[in-house]
Amino acid sequence: SAAENAFVFDLFPDAGELGVWLGLKRPGPGEPFVRFHDGEVPTYFNWADGEPNNAAGVEACAMMVGTASGIPTEQWAHWNDIPCNYTSSNGEANTRVICERAL
């Protein structure tokens, strides 16, 4: 929901180049993003303009854009698709990950 999206952004507002990994993955080309924990398609998305675009055919995971990402302000708290094995320009892997727990 929009409220959950705002909650996550408030937890990690300064997420850097890698943003916050959201626990969403595209199982295959042309398929919708699903939640890692149950394989269901979410009912809410907050994609940034032009996303998901599956650039170079390798963007199968989703992340939330943070304030330290270098991406324009109007895209903050929006989502971007990104390669699941992406590392930052300085070689660091993402340590900000959030997943919804199944009840």
Side-chain angles (χ1 to χ4, degrees):
S1 69
E4 288 175 312
N5 194 75
F7 174 79
V8 171
F9 184 73
D10 288 344
L11 285 175
F12 304 105
D14 63 344
E17 181 181 341
L18 296 172
V20 177
W21 290 76
L22 297 173
L24 298 176
K25 184 175 183 176
R26 182 186 297 120
E31 295 185 50
F33 278 82
V34 297
R35 298 183 300 223
F36 282 150
H37 74 270
D38 64 7
E40 295 292 320
V41 176
T43 57
Y44 173 83
F45 293 96
N46 193 34
W47 296 112
D49 291 341
E51 301 295 344
N53 63 2
N54 195 22
V58 297
E59 295 186 330
C61 284
M63 53 83 79
M64 179 185 286
V65 175
T67 61
S69 63
I71 295 174
T73 307
E74 63 273 6
Q75 301 292 348
W76 293 351
H78 287 82
W79 305 356
N80 177 36
D81 58 339
I82 192 167
C84 296
N85 62 350
Y86 185 80
T87 55
S88 70
S89 57
N90 65 3
E92 294 179 0
N94 198 321
T95 58
R96 294 175 183 98
V97 178
I98 193 153
C99 295
E100 183 175 37
R101 185 178 73 175
L103 298 176

